Amino acid sequence: MIVLDEITKIYDKEPVFKNLSLRVDRGDMAFITGPSGAGKTTLLKLIYGAERPDKGEIIVGEWHVTKLKQKKIPLLRQEIGIVFQDFRLLPNKTVFDNVALALTAHKLSPAAIRETVNNVLRDIILLHRKNSYPLNLSGGEQQRVVIARAMVAKPKIILADEPTGNMDRENANTIMGLFKDINAKGTTVMIVTHNEELYQGTGHRVFHINNKIVEREFAG
Ligand SMILES: Nc1ncnc2c1ncn2[C@@H]1O[C@H](COP(=O)(O)OP(=O)(O)O)[C@@H](O)[C@H]1O
Ligand SMILES: [Mg+2]
């Protein structure tokens, strides 16, 4: 469950949004849309505790994020897989190691790590690139590594910021299939996107951010 209650976030004396409320129930898939600069990335940062709101309350699962001490933020992060818009892959680590790093806190044996990472790389159709370095991959391939890294620890929540931004339709469909599978297994999924095709006709909830308000609609 993700709840934002009357959230105001101010940068440089200007509110990005004011009194914004939304709720995504546990196990749901929901989409966030809106023009560039509307605050979509900021909204995700508030949910995973990288930014604090100026007003309002945020609840993520059992966590009162707005009241969480800074040193507890890593515990919140263990429950959230994040697909960053700017990737944040480590250039001096292989694809395999970039994904395996997301399992560090999970105390698995080396054999279990190998199996888990290989499985997710197979799902994302990148097993053949496991020993490559990120900068030798195409943009779409790098994006798939970021998605693999977000999924590998089977988090309770996945937040994805424009996860199909650099992909053709076929790759985008493959990625959406993976989000659907992980959602079907109980993970709450929240996807920021400009691509209407991802949610049209799915029946999932869409939150549109524009002019500091949120509309709710069902994409049926
Ligand atoms: N760290 C920051 N400091 C100051 N302004 C910021 C910061 N991050 C974002 N902004 C501003 O907040 C607004 C929303 O940004 P962002 O959440 O990245 O929008 P979106 O993801 O919808 O394109 C923009 O006007 C942006 O310039
Ligand atoms: Mg953004």
Side-chain angles (χ1 to χ4, degrees):
M1 179 185 67
I2 300 168
V3 177
L4 275 69
D5 187 22
E6 300 272 306
I7 293 296
T8 295
K9 176 65 188 171
I10 297 168
Y11 281 130
D12 304 328
K13 296 182 184 159
E14 272 294 309
V16 181
F17 32 68
K18 248 175 161 169
N19 301 323
L20 182 146
S21 298
L22 68 78
R23 178 192 174 98
V24 177
D25 287 326
R26 198 167 82 173
D28 270 6
M29 168 143 31
F31 293 85
I32 312 281
T33 65
S36 200
K40 304 180 297 298
T41 297
T42 301
L43 188 104
L44 297 185
K45 285 180 177 169
L46 291 166
I47 293 170
Y48 64 81
E51 289 283 352
R52 302 266 181 182
D54 293 274
K55 192 180 131 306
E57 197 176 1
I58 299 171
I59 295 167
V60 175
E62 270 113 66
W63 303 93
H64 280 257
V65 179
T66 20
K67 293 182 188 139
L68 210 55
K69 293 220 170 69
Q70 199 61 34
K71 65 173 195 236
K72 298 262 185 181
I73 297 278
L75 296 175
L76 166 73
R77 295 274 175 86
Q78 278 181 29
E79 302 195 352
I80 304 178
I82 306 167
V83 179
F84 294 102
Q85 195 169 13
D86 55 358
F87 298 174
R88 304 193 197 178
L89 292 168
L90 298 175
N92 57 345
K93 301 267 182 204
T94 62
V95 165
F96 182 95
D97 287 340
N98 265 282
V99 175
L101 274 171
L103 292 171
T104 306
H106 294 261
K107 300 198 173 73
L108 296 175
S109 70
I113 289 174
R114 215 176 309 123
E115 192 187 337
T116 309
V117 173
N118 284 343
N119 282 341
V120 78
L121 288 176
R122 198 173 294 116
D123 286 347
I124 215 108
I125 317 162
L126 268 185
L127 194 55
H128 60 295
R129 297 294 245 151
K130 66 191 255 187
N131 295 319
S132 300
Y133 289 86
L135 294 177
N136 295 330
L137 304 179
S138 72
E141 286 173 332
Q142 290 179 41
Q143 196 141 25
R144 271 143 64 203
V145 179
V146 179
I147 291 164
R149 182 183 58 188
M151 288 181 172
V152 71
K154 300 194 170 57
K156 289 185 184 155
I157 295 170
I158 290 205
L159 304 175
D161 202 348
E162 305 277 3
T164 62
N166 294 306
M167 288 180 192
D168 57 29
R169 180 182 279 176
E170 193 185 326
N171 271 315
N173 286 341
T174 305
I175 294 311
M176 276 311 292
L178 292 167
F179 283 122
K180 278 180 202 153
D181 289 348
I182 202 163
N183 175 245
K185 288 178 190 148
T187 299
T188 309
V189 178
M190 204 161 161
I191 300 175
V192 168
T193 188
H194 280 109
N195 184 356
E196 289 181 17
E197 284 181 27
L198 296 190
Y199 55 79
Q200 286 292 336
T202 62
H204 291 303
R205 201 158 213 184
V206 181
F207 296 94
H208 186 71
I209 310 182
N210 196 9
N211 298 329
K212 304 167 180 76
I213 48 157
V214 174
E215 297 161 14
R216 296 150 193 230
E217 57 185 66
F218 287 91

